[in-house]
Amino acid sequence: MALSLLLVACGNDKPNYNSVDDYPVRQGSLDEMVYSPKATEFSVWSPNAEQVTLNIYSDALTDEALERIPMKRKKDGTWTAKINRDLNGLFYTFAVYDTNAVFPMEETPGIFAKAVGINGKRAAILDLKTTDPENWQDDKRPYFGERQDAIVYEMHHRDFSIDPSAGIAHAGKFLALTERGTTNKAGQPTGIDHLKQLGITHVQILPSYDFGSIDERGASEEARVLESGAAVGGSYNWGYDPINYNVPEGSYSTDPYAPACRIIEMKQLIQALHEAGIRVVMDVVYNHTYDVAHSAFTQTAPGYFYRTRSDGSLANGSGCGNETASNRPMMRRFILESVRYWVEEYHIDGFRFDLMGIHDIETMRAVRAMLDEIDPTILLYGEGWAAEQPQYAQELLAMKANICQMPGIGAFCDDMRDALRGPFYDDKQGAFLAGLPGFEESIRFGLVGCINHPQIDMQKVNYSKEAWTQEPYQCISYVSCHDDMMLTDRLKASIKLKEGEMQRLDKLAQTVVLTSQGTPFLWNGEEVMRDKKGVHNSFCSPDSVNAINWDLKTENKDLFDYYCRLVALRKAHPAFHLGTAENVVEHLEFLPAGDCVVAFRLKELRDIDEWQEIVAVFNAQPQEVTFTLPEGEYRKVLNNGVFEESDAKYTESVTLAPQTATILYR
């Protein structure tokens, strides 16, 4: 049948729109496939299409469709079709015909596929209830306290478990974090038992949705890439290249060909972490897609979901070739419904928004409001910046400087990060840890959680010239993360280290992070002195660079024990996470100190902490420093890189060991 006759036969008169901003908003849920044994309903939003065809396939790879069914247009721009028989186990795509499309139109699984076949090209028809692990209905979020009590550990599935030293059977897979009793050669816990021993409250997993840079057909192969950067076989990638936002990544499953497998196994991972008392934060990348031409956004509503420059070219706030338009109603709805879906279907406990500064404030507020209705303890934070200036008004974007306009939403603190180890743009430049003066005020700013504190001289802070949080927990305190050098590599690159200095400076840096009033954030492997052979951006480096070696040397084991004690100290003493700006201003006081020394006390802690007062001093100088104590009688709990308590009492001064933190209490 000719296309024109088909359009008439289906009654699909195409409306005329002056621009994509005139498109109607879809009514009801964005679900594109609703299955039941008796009938399956399909729908896709494509307001400018002349025709949309539903294609049914027997599997994910066969070329020939079983059926090609014309869909019917609704007034809100949604196209629908219904098949009255059991389609369980089959696959589908949508084919949109839009003569105004810039890119060639091709079949797509749609923007809200919830199950897909190999490499995510076709969506799968299945009953999601069959993907629930045993006792999934009893899975609950572990209690950890209030938002200010969170301690986040960022990890990549493959890094964490792929090395043979981990002793994990399902290396590099979702199921790696379901194995208990795994150890290294020395019998020290690895995997989920390692996390439990460390004591963190949340694991933030790098992107776990279906992404485009790995060919799932070779997911079990050694990670590698071509010189061009293209993926080959089981190539390594962090996953910041979204294809299907609402489906787990197949290369992390034991069978990427089976649509249900990846869903079941990711749920099992979350269930296992919950049983271990650990919540799960998901890294989400709604700010850009793997590409534009082949994305489901383009293949269903060309030109709508992306921002463009005045000349019509694609905006590039992500630095990846495109940026999505969260300010448009349907993109905002997509983000909201996607986040809700991960919470309700997968029991996710928090979200880290990649390049959150590309999204508009209104969208991020809406996400927070929705999560508050479900559970206010669900974390929400992100990167308060963009790679390039987005094509949207700066004052309306979810940038770090605008966090005060977004209650309950956090952002990463580059102020304290760079004051500790040196600027992101120059790996060879040191800062406080290198014994360089002038960074003390920026560290103090980070220690109070970037609130407005009367003792902070904002003119001396490196980046921010005014407070950017309402409450201290909105500040994500860290010294390194995935898209950066490991702390060990950074110290090697920026300081001519002498014997013992690496370990001392590592401990000093993380003591600042874990005693700050912000939300502490650790990158996997930091606790065992991991390095990445000096590679800064290791997003596609092989396992030989990214894998963590769990066969710990003596100094690595000592460092891990220190991290464990540091985490335990923070959890045991609410004074280190007071929760409100008012409490921090009232109870945290900075003490006089010289160059490369930062000191504070937490005072008047009755009814807050079992200790009446706490003094913390950070000495980055390569020599001993004598520090004058406030009036009172103190005992040391941390001295010279060692946690210990003795009967010794200090009333006037204390000697600070070089490049270490000292903590005292009374």
Side-chain angles (χ1 to χ4, degrees), residues 387-529:
E388 297 180 13
Q389 179 58 42
Q391 291 296 302
Y392 202 63
Q394 181 83 5
E395 66 272 15
L396 301 178
L397 291 170
M399 294 287 189
K400 185 183 76 172
N402 298 328
I403 288 295
C404 279
Q405 300 179 49
M406 295 178 281
I409 300 175
F412 287 88
C413 179
D414 54 344
D415 305 275
M416 188 169 75
R417 178 198 69 190
D418 288 6
L420 281 169
R421 83 323 152 66
F424 181 83
Y425 56 80
D426 185 354
D427 294 337
K428 295 181 180 180
Q429 177 63 46
F432 182 77
L433 296 174
L436 301 177
F439 298 96
E440 297 83 6
E441 204 70 11
S442 300
I443 291 172
R444 293 187 188 104
F445 183 52
L447 283 167
V448 298
C450 300
I451 63 165
N452 185 11
H453 191 284
Q455 286 186 283
I456 302 294
D457 183 350
M458 294 304 301
Q459 297 309 306
K460 295 181 180 178
V461 174
N462 50 5
Y463 300 145
S464 302
K465 298 310 172 187
E466 59 184 23
W468 52 266
T469 65
Q470 288 183 325
E471 305 293 4
Y473 65 82
Q474 291 179 277
C475 165
I476 307 300
S477 303
Y478 73 119
V479 70
S480 66
C481 64
H482 68 273
D483 55 349
D484 200 352
M485 273 188 165
M486 297 300 303
L487 177 57
T488 52
D489 287 327
R490 182 58 188 251
L491 292 173
K492 292 174 188 176
S494 59
I495 303 172
K496 292 182 179 179
L497 294 167
K498 299 176 183 178
E499 184 177 357
E501 284 191 327
M502 171 71 79
Q503 191 175 12
R504 289 201 301 272
L505 292 172
D506 190 308
K507 289 180 177 180
L508 176 60
Q510 298 296 6
T511 309
V512 174
V513 168
L514 278 152
T515 58
S516 79
Q517 294 294 323
T519 299
F521 178 98
L522 305 173
W523 170 226
N524 65 176
E526 283 183 330
E527 72 279 16
V528 294
M529 217 179 294

Side-chain angles (χ1 to χ4, degrees), residues 145-156:
E146 303 300 327
R147 289 176 188 167
Q148 66 264 25
D149 302 325
I151 303 172
V152 181
Y153 182 93
E154 182 185 37
M155 61 159 286
H156 181 270

Side-chain angles (χ1 to χ4, degrees), residues 156-455:
H156 181 270
H157 294 291
R158 191 171 182 110
D159 292 4
F160 191 72
S161 60
I162 197 66
D163 195 89
S165 62
I168 292 175
H170 295 96
K173 304 297 182 183
F174 290 131
L175 293 181
L177 280 176
T178 68
E179 298 181 34
R180 302 303 298 265
T182 59
T183 66
N184 62 13
K185 291 178 181 177
Q188 296 155 342
T190 60
I192 195 170
D193 294 328
H194 170 86
L195 297 174
K196 192 170 177 63
Q197 184 177 352
L198 181 57
I200 45 86
T201 64
H202 291 69
V203 160
Q204 177 195 300
I205 48 178
L206 263 67
S208 299
Y209 52 72
D210 185 42
F211 54 85
S213 53
I214 291 181
D215 186 343
E216 295 173 356
R217 293 172 299 181
S220 62
E221 297 178 14
E222 168 68 14
R224 57 195 178 93
V225 292
L226 295 174
E227 290 182 3
S228 65
V232 178
S235 64
Y236 180 98
N237 206 281
W238 287 335
Y240 291 91
D241 44 2
I243 297 292
N244 294 293
Y245 283 95
N246 301 301
V247 188
E249 164 61 19
S251 66
Y252 295 142
S253 73
T254 57
D255 186 358
Y257 288 88
C261 181
R262 61 181 76 191
I263 300 174
I264 295 169
E265 291 178 354
M266 185 169 175
K267 288 179 178 179
Q268 288 175 318
L269 172 153
I270 295 164
Q271 185 180 44
L273 285 166
H274 283 177
E275 289 173 353
I278 299 170
R279 289 192 173 198
V280 182
V281 175
M282 186 174 179
D283 196 332
V284 289
V285 189
Y286 297 114
N287 67 82
H288 74 277
T289 58
Y290 182 43
D291 68 3
V292 175
H294 305 290
S295 79
F297 290 147
T298 293
Q299 293 301 325
T300 54
Y304 179 86
F305 289 100
Y306 298 93
R307 295 187 187 129
T308 55
R309 301 185 180 96
S310 57
D311 63 1
S313 63
L314 288 166
N316 189 27
S318 68
C320 299
N322 62 88
E323 69 182 70
T324 55
S326 62
N327 49 295
R328 289 200 172 119
M330 283 295 289
M331 187 65 206
R332 181 176 294 146
R333 279 198 58 198
F334 175 81
I335 293 172
L336 285 164
E337 291 197 29
S338 178
V339 167
R340 178 183 288 277
Y341 177 69
W342 283 107
V343 171
E344 294 179 346
E345 184 66 32
Y346 287 86
H347 303 177
I348 290 291
D349 309 296
F351 296 87
R352 178 263 191 195
F353 270 62
D354 182 67
L355 295 181
M356 185 174 69
I358 291 175
H359 300 312
D360 65 293
I361 293 172
E362 184 179 346
T363 294
M364 294 309 303
R365 282 175 174 168
V367 173
R368 181 69 266 175
M370 179 190 69
L371 293 176
D372 284 345
E373 291 178 359
I374 299 170
D375 182 346
T377 66
I378 294 174
L379 297 187
L380 180 59
Y381 57 90
E383 292 179 298
W385 46 71
E388 297 180 13
Q389 179 58 42
Q391 291 296 302
Y392 202 63
Q394 181 83 5
E395 66 272 15
L396 301 178
L397 291 170
M399 294 287 189
K400 185 183 76 172
N402 298 328
I403 288 295
C404 279
Q405 300 179 49
M406 295 178 281
I409 300 175
F412 287 88
C413 179
D414 54 344
D415 305 275
M416 188 169 75
R417 178 198 69 190
D418 288 6
L420 281 169
R421 83 323 152 66
F424 181 83
Y425 56 80
D426 185 354
D427 294 337
K428 295 181 180 180
Q429 177 63 46
F432 182 77
L433 296 174
L436 301 177
F439 298 96
E440 297 83 6
E441 204 70 11
S442 300
I443 291 172
R444 293 187 188 104
F445 183 52
L447 283 167
V448 298
C450 300
I451 63 165
N452 185 11
H453 191 284
Q455 286 186 283

